[in-house]
Amino acid sequence: MIPGGWQKFAGARVLLLQGPMGPFFRRLARALLQAGAASVHKVNFNGGDQFFYARGAIRYRGTMEAWPSALSRLMSELQIDTVFLFGDCREIHRPVQAVARERGAEVWVFEEGYVRPDFVTLERSGVNNHSPAPRDPAFYSALPDMELPVEKPVGNTFWYAACWATFYYTASILMRPFYRHYRHHRPLGVSELLPWLRSPVRKLRYRMRERRYGHFLWGVEAGRFYLVPLQVDTDFQVRVHSDFESVSHFVERVVASFARHAPADHCLVLKHHPMDRGYSDYSILIRALAERYGVQGRLHYIHDQHLPTLLDHASGVVLINSTVGLSAMNHGLPVAVLGEASYALPGMSYQGGLDSFWNDALDFHMDKDLYRRYRNYLIRHTQLNGDFFRNGVFEWKRMRTMDVMRRRAAVAPSQSTGTVGAKKQEATKRESAKHPPLDARA
């Protein structure tokens, strides 16, 4: 939810930078114009960006080193006062805060939902550990109880994400000669298509292989295993907001501590991240660690088990800073956060060291009232009901419906009024589309 709703951006001159793979930012532009934004402009940095937002966009084909000054000139030319982007740790987005601050502009950052699976995140200034949300538990404890709106389920979005990723990387590869200076957080080559093509195959294979695994975990081992949700290896939350060099480094540290300090009748379950399915496989590493530390039979590596059911039967959760931590708290579980996370508050997450967690977790009691108020605050101030790949934000659909109804009501008494409104909207679209490539003006 956005305090004041999307009408908050009425009259704003908006610049969209890089968004999620897919048509989400194109839908965002339409929603902003419907909410009354004065203008919406988009910068593309590679062929994938251009594929999903071709009409009227500005192409940046300069170097990453020249980007901050180019951005400053662009914001000055277009009189930009509001910037939207996805992920504040991407290389092209790192200088945005400083440039926007100089110009007195707001920066709004999208990210995957803190509350899963039916939300995406939108915060002013930054997300995750850059979030401006208060870190004092007393702030949340003092909040009044407020009723939350009914949320709509987003459904399965995996196949949409896989489809958009295939289009995105194909377009990026084919158009690379036109954006030769761009540096992506993953390699932009033919090899990048293979993981997305491999992922559905692995998904089916793991589902068959692990068909009976779940019954073992919430049957024989129920209440006697710790869950370790792994993050995507290229996740900026691992790179920027933790001391771990990689997910492999994290796995090694956790297994070593578990082997030395955990109760002998407990198991360790490492769950692969679904979006990393086509890229990484830690089977060899985990087998080697099991042998090195003598915990064969107590280490389990899984991929596609139902996360909420796993949380129902786990003893505790160990992670870097994944938002699974909030899901675990929602199930009342003790959570050890080894990286930096805005939700790692005293009273909500375990505050001791990893070595002591394995035994202390059995007696740890989370402050459920504090968590409930914290979660409600997040939903009311940072979460939008929807997703990036399939539905967009559900509120946009209601806005479009209301916009259609208003237009019909305006046309009914006077056809001329409707014609004037249509011309005005067309003029706004032309303003957003008239700019030449940014590198041509640099």
Side-chain angles (χ1 to χ4, degrees), residues 26 52 56 58 80 158 206 235 244 257 262 304 354 419 442:
R26 194 174 66 221
F52 287 105
I58 300 162
I80 297 298
F158 170 78
Y206 293 143
D235 189 345
F244 294 105
S257 177
D304 285 283
L354 177 61
T419 303

Side-chain angles (χ1 to χ4, degrees), residues 91-395:
E91 183 176 4
I92 55 172
H93 291 158
R94 289 174 195 166
V96 174
Q97 294 287 359
V99 174
R101 224 173 6 250
E102 290 176 359
R103 305 203 55 79
E106 294 184 352
V107 178
W108 290 81
V109 184
F110 281 99
E111 184 56 274
E112 302 289 350
Y114 296 153
V115 181
R116 304 288 179 93
D118 300 321
F119 293 93
V120 298
T121 297
L122 177 61
E123 288 199 81
R124 183 178 174 181
S125 300
V127 292
N128 295 309
N129 202 50
H130 291 154
S131 169
R135 305 299 173 91
D136 184 1
F139 170 83
Y140 301 102
S141 297
L143 292 176
D145 278 330
M146 301 186 73
E147 186 176 349
L148 294 175
V150 178
E151 62 193 62
K152 293 181 63 176
V154 301
N156 185 358
T157 63
F158 170 78
W159 296 107
Y160 288 86
C163 179
W164 300 150
T166 301
F167 289 151
Y168 188 91
Y169 284 112
T170 300
S172 296
I173 293 165
L174 294 177
M175 300 186 69
R176 190 168 187 177
F178 300 99
Y179 296 94
R180 63 184 186 278
H181 297 297
Y182 174 72
R183 293 197 293 262
H184 200 57
H185 55 282
R186 286 190 186 275
L188 279 182
V190 176
S191 61
E192 188 60 23
L193 287 174
L194 298 179
W196 286 96
L197 298 174
R198 187 165 52 212
S199 183
V201 177
R202 285 186 174 179
K203 181 180 177 68
L204 294 174
R205 189 173 77 223
Y206 293 143
R207 180 178 295 176
M208 295 294 294
R209 182 189 299 173
E210 299 174 6
R211 182 179 298 175
R212 298 180 181 179
Y213 216 113
H215 299 291
F216 169 72
L217 291 176
W218 45 80
V220 178
E221 296 296 333
R224 293 193 303 162
F225 69 87
Y226 303 97
L227 180 64
V228 181
L230 304 181
Q231 292 172 233
V232 175
D233 194 50
T234 56
D235 189 345
F236 283 109
Q237 303 315 309
V238 178
R239 297 182 187 179
V240 178
H241 298 306
S242 84
D243 294 329
F244 294 105
E245 299 172 0
S246 63
V247 172
S248 296
H249 181 203
F250 164 73
V251 170
E252 290 183 30
R253 179 178 169 189
V254 171
V255 172
S257 177
F258 170 81
R260 295 186 183 113
H261 302 283
D265 61 344
H266 276 58
C267 295
L268 190 68
V269 177
L270 300 103
K271 186 182 185 302
H272 199 88
H273 194 289
M275 297 300 288
D276 207 33
R277 187 188 294 111
Y279 291 92
S280 304
D281 187 338
Y282 300 105
S283 300
I284 296 175
L285 171 65
I286 291 172
R287 282 198 298 269
L289 291 173
E291 293 178 7
R292 182 191 307 172
Y293 292 105
V295 287
Q296 299 95 325
R298 296 176 60 199
L299 248 57
H300 305 283
Y301 180 41
I302 63 175
H303 294 78
D304 285 283
Q305 295 301 317
H306 188 236
L307 179 60
T309 306
L310 286 169
L311 294 173
D312 278 338
H313 296 87
S315 298
V317 173
V318 178
L319 41 71
I320 301 176
N321 47 24
S322 166
T323 53
V324 173
L326 283 170
S327 299
M329 292 174 185
N330 201 47
H331 287 252
L333 288 176
V335 178
V337 182
L338 304 191
E340 298 172 335
S342 57
Y343 62 79
L345 302 179
M348 283 174 45
S349 69
Y350 179 74
Q351 300 294 300
L354 177 61
D355 291 347
S356 59
F357 173 78
W358 309 108
N359 288 285
D360 289 354
L362 305 179
D363 299 314
F364 179 83
H365 297 287
M366 183 188 70
D367 187 335
K368 294 183 179 180
D369 184 67
L370 171 62
Y371 166 75
R372 178 176 58 81
R373 293 174 187 273
Y374 175 83
R375 183 179 185 275
N376 289 354
Y377 176 88
L378 285 185
I379 292 175
R380 293 190 67 86
H381 293 85
T382 73
Q383 303 298 283
L384 301 173
N385 187 198
D387 66 275
F388 291 127
F389 304 113
R390 180 181 180 181
N391 304 287
V393 175
F394 287 120
E395 188 179 352

